[in-house]
Amino acid sequence: MNRLLLATLAAVASLGIASAQDNGAGYVTLSFNGDIMTGSIKPEYDMLPNDGKDIFIDCDSIIRSVDVACGNLEGVLADNGKTRKRPGRLSFSFMMPTKSVKLLVDAGYDFMGIANNHINDFYPVAIQSTIKTLTDNGIGVAGTKDCETSIKEINGVKYGFCAFGHENYTLRTQDTVTVKRIVKKLRKECDIVIVCFHGGSEGLDQRHLPYGTEYFYKADRGNLRQFAHLCIDNGADVVYGHGPHVPRAIELYNGHLIAYSLGNFATPRGMKLHYQTAYAPLLVVRLDKEGKFVDGKIHSFIQVRDKGPRLDTTNSVAKDIRSLTEEDINDNRLNIADDGTITIKK
């Protein structure tokens, strides 16, 4: 057995879930997290020390240990351009320099969603720069009309990835016809189908998952329960979300896992980080050969200003998601232990 495989097996074992190699059962492991913005150069220069090289230092061993790692890029990867937003207290634009993609590559990411409200901060030219930069560096990307899906074969398993947001310049959670078409297409072509979404209202008072459509400053942010269930019903294996800037409940629906919001993850500059907005869960799941949830773990991290996600030794993040899940999910089928380990109720 080669050194890389030994290292991978050891790392996966440390997650508290069995290795994908166990018993030849065909299990795969995946990781998911919320918003990533590693430092911006426009409209103002706001970069981390050493260009953020240590941003993932506490969590990259976990990200690299799984078969597939997925996140959400909250901003663009470009080196120049003019913001389309007017200056103001509630105006935020994020341009990461293209060289920052190396941080994502080195951390071990395979897919990145871009269907969010910051992907058009610097007009479509910056969207195209983002897509090209990620693609050129081997990271699958999806979430806009000219970049609907990404498919990658990893260790003999074909993974399909798609992403939806709530803006007219992204694929939208509200467009059920398009959602069904894309998910069904991936189901026919891939072994494992992953859906990423950016939706919901924002802020500390939005931790609980509502029923019905959510609004933020009167803007439609989607009916997320309905959207997530629709994706599973049409062939998705895992659905993970972000957008409210705080974690929300997780749900086991028809044997498949939904994470309604994984909040912020690596946004140590340009965003408020206090209380649950600093919570940075890293969700690892194990799926069987049919794409159904077997078990998993919520790794607890808390963001530190100017640094990034740092280990939460009290597991307060996992405990918070447990409480939200128990309160917000009727007929909850999941057990979440103090250390974040997730199992299915007997």
Side-chain angles (χ1 to χ4, degrees), residues 44 82 96 119 121 175 189 192 205 265 269 280 332:
E44 297 178 354
K82 181 180 179 181
M96 290 163 273
I119 193 58
D121 281 355
D175 183 358
E189 298 175 355
I192 301 294
D205 59 346
F265 185 64
R269 298 291 298 173
N332 171 35

Side-chain angles (χ1 to χ4, degrees), residues 63-128:
I63 296 169
R64 288 196 298 264
S65 72
V66 298
D67 295 306
V68 172
C70 310
N72 170 64
L73 192 68
E74 187 81 340
V76 302
L77 285 163
D79 293 316
N80 54 69
K82 181 180 179 181
T83 180
R84 68 180 185 86
K85 297 180 178 179
R86 294 178 180 177
R89 185 176 62 87
L90 297 175
S91 179
F92 300 95
S93 298
F94 304 121
M95 178 185 285
M96 290 163 273
T98 55
K99 66 181 181 180
S100 292
V101 73
K102 188 176 186 300
L103 302 176
L104 305 177
V105 173
D106 291 348
Y109 284 100
D110 299 289
F111 291 107
M112 200 63 56
I114 60 170
N116 57 65
N117 52 307
H118 286 288
I119 193 58
N120 196 36
D121 281 355
F122 295 87
Y123 297 98
V125 64
I127 300 177
Q128 294 307 313

Side-chain angles (χ1 to χ4, degrees), residues 247-264:
R248 284 181 169 180
I250 62 176
E251 179 183 20
L252 189 67
Y253 175 73
N254 289 346
H256 297 275
L257 194 72
I258 300 167
Y260 283 101
S261 176
L262 295 174
N264 299 323

